């Protein structure tokens, strides 16, 4: 299982109790899908950086959970269909998109290290 963070922004028209209840619904959804909820951090009503659906504020919630990729897909679909959620984002904390971990002295391509890279021995890399 991998660790994920889910951030949701619920509509500002909801009473705070309903926004908190929505985060518990998400927790129950994850438990029902055999994902382990680590933490729920309810931030409360905050001002948005930009207007979303004519709203300038919303209730922020961050949920940290351990799960599989199919949990993320199901959660993403459910949140996309929810009328109470204005925006959501699911990330893997610490993961950098588009980058693989490489050891020191290795290049981006497997089976090739920095000493084999063009230019490592003083040869021209530009082709001139």
């Amino acid at each position: 299982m991998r660790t994920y963070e889910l951030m949701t922004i619920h509509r500002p028209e909801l009473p705070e109790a309903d926004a908190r209840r929505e985060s518990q619904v998400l927790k129950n959804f994850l438990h029902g899908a055999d994902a382990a909820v680590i933490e729920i951090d309810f931030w409360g009503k905050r001002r948005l950086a930009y207007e979303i659906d004519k709203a300038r504020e919303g209730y922020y919630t961050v949920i940290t959970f351990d799960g599989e990729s199919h949990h993320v897909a199901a959660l993403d679909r459910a949140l996309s269909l929810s009328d109470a959620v204005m925006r959501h984002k699911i990330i893997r904390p610490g993961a950098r998109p588009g980058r693989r971990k490489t050891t020191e002295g290795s290049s981006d391509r497997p089976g090739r290290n920095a000493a084999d890279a063009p230019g490592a021995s003083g040869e021209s890399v530009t082709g001139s």
Side-chain angles (χ1 to χ4, degrees), residues 96-109:
R96 295 174 71 184
R99 302 233 176 151
R100 283 192 311 233
K101 289 185 179 180
T102 58
T103 57
E104 188 174 321
S106 68
S107 70
D108 290 345
R109 290 195 255 171

Side-chain angles (χ1 to χ4, degrees), residues 57-72:
E57 51 188 21
Y59 290 101
Y60 282 74
T61 305
V62 178
I63 299 175
T64 307
F65 67 96
D66 285 337
E68 300 293 338
S69 60
H70 64 274
H71 296 131
V72 173

Side-chain angles (χ1 to χ4, degrees), residues 24-63:
Q24 291 302 315
V25 168
L26 291 172
K27 177 183 174 183
N28 294 338
F29 178 85
L30 288 166
H31 277 300
D34 295 329
V37 175
I38 298 169
E39 179 183 10
I40 297 178
D41 190 9
F42 184 76
W43 291 7
K45 192 181 269 190
R46 300 280 175 107
R47 180 178 274 308
L48 302 174
Y50 54 90
E51 194 173 282
I52 301 173
D53 297 335
K54 299 182 182 177
R56 296 204 170 270
E57 51 188 21
Y59 290 101
Y60 282 74
T61 305
V62 178
I63 299 175

